[in-house]
Amino acid sequence: MSTILLVEDDPDIRHLVAYKLGKGGMDVIGVADGVAALREARERPPDLVLLDVRMPHMSGIEVCRELRAGPLAADVPIIMLTARARPQDLEQGFAAGATDYIVKPFSPRELLERVEAVLARVAR
């Protein structure tokens, strides 16, 4: 069973994503901010991180940089979740260390499929 660290400040989205991934057989650790995400990643390194970009106090881009610089192994995928879809936003996410980028609103089924695909690539 894969462990997913879900970092999303919107409780409704966090609940929906956790529910869908849980139904897909994944263990989901949901947190509401970047500080909690960094703490969880240190305490229980996940197999994949789903990371909202726009959060209070610490942006998802900052969290991604911190995760890549510290607690995560280089091969742990980070998928950014965001409403920002401009090319420069994607470039910024990938430059920070993101593996993939999913634009909101998204289909919960598509999210599950993308997470499974990324985990399958890492497992090879």
Side-chain angles (χ1 to χ4, degrees):
M1 178 182 292
S2 296
T3 300
I4 310 299
L5 176 57
L6 169 60
V7 189
E8 171 61 62
D9 64 322
D10 183 312
D12 293 331
I13 295 173
R14 193 169 59 245
H15 176 74
L16 174 70
V17 171
Y19 176 79
K20 185 64 176 178
L21 295 178
K23 286 294 213 179
M26 297 173 199
D27 181 28
V28 180
I29 301 165
V31 298
D33 62 62
V35 174
L38 294 172
R39 183 178 56 248
E40 282 294 331
R42 286 183 184 99
E43 291 175 10
R44 296 185 288 178
D47 298 307
L48 182 141
V49 178
L50 285 172
L51 182 57
D52 185 16
V53 172
R54 297 179 75 180
M55 295 184 294
H57 310 299
M58 189 175 201
S59 77
I61 298 296
E62 293 169 316
V63 174
C64 187
R65 285 188 189 119
E66 289 287 325
L67 289 171
R68 288 294 182 218
L72 287 188
D75 63 342
V76 173
I78 298 174
I79 299 176
M80 306 296 278
L81 299 175
T82 186
R84 304 177 112 186
R86 299 176 311 176
Q88 58 265 41
D89 295 323
L90 274 71
E91 289 171 13
Q92 188 178 31
F94 288 125
T99 307
D100 200 358
Y101 210 96
I102 298 176
V103 178
K104 296 176 185 176
F106 52 82
S107 152
R109 181 181 305 149
E110 177 191 355
L111 175 67
L112 177 60
E113 290 169 356
R114 299 266 295 268
V115 166
E116 289 172 339
V118 168
L119 287 170
R121 282 196 305 262
V122 173
R124 290 184 194 155

